């Protein structure tokens, strides 16, 4: 494994102590770092937002390839270290912030691409946060393998859930390659994978429908072992004939379980319910 000076500070004293509570597992394999940067397909003019730059191993590559790079780091000591490292690069801005409190679109102030070896304790919130319009033109994330499996899951499998449906409603998710725990320092307890998320040219939902879809999907998967007739009765306080009529209008078999519905069927149900409200 090509582990080398990505793990060593550049002549400015030691790195700050590793904060495991912030999901700090630093990627030290140069070949994998290069593959992540390659997956963004940068042409040199893009604004790139990086989530969780850490000690800057990926940031170094992005700073070379991006038109403008904004690196969002929560750890004050790491943000300061990065500010010093890139002080002479006028295309790099280090923003010390919790990424979940930042409007990515506002920070970019124009079209942008997104990348991050994200902290695993908040992977799913970050993925949802990044779905808020205006979305990145493409996003590449290093995530725990289980999350990559959920993103790509087929309806009816145990990995299929709210994350799968909500992402599929607005974007295409692909797993690019796996990353072993040994590529990090310190190694995480889980395997990882690199995924790319590309917004659909024609999303299944309008921006106004995105939040109601999240609520519907979350509530439905909260009853994933129940049949859809029971789910709809419970969600909308309907009797059985009304629930059957609603499901018929959405072309959903009342006896199937929510975990077998396609993203299109969830959207169909959302629209039937809205039309009846
Ligand atoms: N990108 C670096 C790398 O590949 O070695 C570090 C990745 S490490 C898995 C995740 C990074 O996210 C850490 O630097 C951590 O401090 C930072 N982080 C944790 N919580 C954050 C948050 N809420 N907002 C922004 N950055 C955060």
């Amino acid at each position: 494994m090509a582990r080398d000076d990505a793990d060593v500070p550049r002549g400015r004293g030691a790195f700050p102590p590793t904060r495991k509570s912030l999901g700090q597992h630093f990627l030290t394999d140069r070949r994998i770092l290069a593959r992540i940067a390659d997956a963004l397909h940068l042409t040199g003019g893009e604004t790139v937002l990086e989530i969780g730059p850490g000690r800057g191993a990926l940031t170094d590559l992005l700073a070379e390839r991006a038109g403008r790079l904004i690196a969002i780091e929560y750890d004050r000591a790491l943000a300061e270290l990065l500010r010093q490292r890139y002080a002479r690069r006028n295309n790099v801005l280090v923003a010390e912030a919790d990424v979940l409190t930042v409007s990515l679109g506002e920070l970019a102030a124009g079209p942008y691409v997104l990348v991050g070896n994200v902290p695993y304790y908040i992977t799913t919130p970050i993925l949802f946060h990044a779905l808020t319009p205006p979305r990145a033109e493409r996003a590449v994330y290093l995530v725990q393998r289980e999350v990559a499996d959920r993103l790509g899951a087929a309806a009816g499998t145990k990995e299929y859930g709210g994350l799968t449906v909500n992402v599929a409603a607005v974007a295409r998710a692909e797993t690019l390659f796996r990353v072993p725990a040994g590529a990090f320092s310190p190694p995480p307890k889980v395997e990882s994978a690199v995924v790319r998320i590309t917004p659909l040219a024609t999303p299944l939902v309008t921006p106004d429908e995105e939040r109601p879809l999240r609520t519907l999907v979350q509530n439905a998967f909260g009853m994933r072992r129940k049949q859809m007739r029971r789910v709809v009765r419970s969600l909308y306080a309907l009797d059985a004939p009304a629930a059957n009529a609603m499901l018929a209008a959405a072309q959903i078999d009342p006896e199937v379980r929510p975990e077998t519905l396609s993203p299109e069927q969830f959207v169909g149900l959302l629209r039937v319910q809205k039309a009846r409200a």
Side-chain angles (χ1 to χ4, degrees):
M1 188 162 296
R3 183 189 296 269
D4 56 27
D5 67 351
D7 202 22
V8 176
R10 318 272 160 87
R12 293 189 184 93
F15 287 128
T18 301
R19 294 173 67 184
K20 282 202 172 168
S21 62
L22 290 183
Q24 291 183 355
H25 297 276
F26 300 103
L27 191 54
T28 53
D29 185 309
R30 289 199 170 278
R31 199 179 52 88
I32 292 172
L33 286 160
R35 288 181 76 187
I36 294 173
D38 290 348
L40 276 174
H41 297 311
L42 297 176
T43 61
E46 293 89 350
T47 294
V48 178
L49 264 56
E50 185 190 3
I51 299 171
R55 295 172 175 174
L58 182 60
T59 322
D60 281 350
L61 297 179
L62 299 171
E64 294 290 336
R65 302 184 190 189
R68 204 159 64 100
L69 172 63
I70 303 172
I72 308 161
E73 174 56 59
Y74 184 68
D75 184 321
R76 173 159 298 175
L78 285 174
E80 179 53 29
L81 179 133
L82 295 174
R83 251 185 237 115
Q84 288 178 21
R85 184 187 298 181
Y86 300 114
R88 288 203 187 82
R89 296 202 75 124
N90 56 15
N91 70 328
V92 180
L93 174 77
V94 178
E96 185 190 322
D98 171 359
V99 66
L100 296 177
T101 66
V102 168
S103 160
L104 301 175
E106 276 178 29
L107 194 60
Y112 66 102
V113 298
L114 187 60
V115 63
N117 170 9
V118 297
Y120 290 176
Y121 73 105
I122 46 170
T123 303
T124 305
I126 288 175
L127 294 175
F128 275 110
H129 182 57
L131 288 182
T132 312
R135 284 185 268 276
E137 291 178 332
R138 52 198 175 279
V140 172
Y141 301 103
L142 179 53
V143 297
Q144 51 278 55
R145 212 186 98 192
E146 170 245 325
V147 173
D149 292 346
R150 279 161 57 203
L151 284 166
T157 62
K158 74 174 173 10
E159 291 81 14
Y160 188 73
L163 182 67
T164 327
V165 174
N166 285 298
V167 171
V170 296
R172 185 168 63 92
E174 27 170 3
T175 296
L176 302 181
F177 56 92
R178 291 191 182 169
V179 177
F184 299 83
S185 172
K189 290 204 174 71
V190 292
E191 271 193 39
S192 303
V194 173
V195 296
R196 183 165 49 214
I197 294 185
T198 312
L200 299 175
T202 312
L204 304 185
V205 283
T206 64
D208 282 352
E209 289 173 325
E210 288 180 25
R211 194 155 287 282
L213 179 70
R214 268 185 219 182
T215 307
L216 167 62
V217 169
Q218 185 184 358
N219 289 338
F221 277 101
M223 295 181 262
R224 67 189 292 151
R225 303 305 304 157
K226 299 227 165 22
Q227 294 183 340
M228 279 309 292
R229 182 187 296 109
R230 167 64 53 197
V231 171
V232 163
R233 285 190 66 181
S234 157
L235 289 184
Y236 305 119
L238 297 175
D239 60 19
N244 284 342
M246 182 183 267
L247 289 164
Q251 298 179 339
I252 295 170
D253 179 343
E255 292 185 1
V256 301
R257 297 193 160 88
E259 61 197 10
T260 68
L261 295 192
S262 66
E264 289 81 359
Q265 285 178 304
F266 275 110
V267 174
L269 180 59
L270 182 76
R271 289 184 176 152
V272 167
Q273 194 274 330
K274 196 173 155 203
R276 294 167 65 101

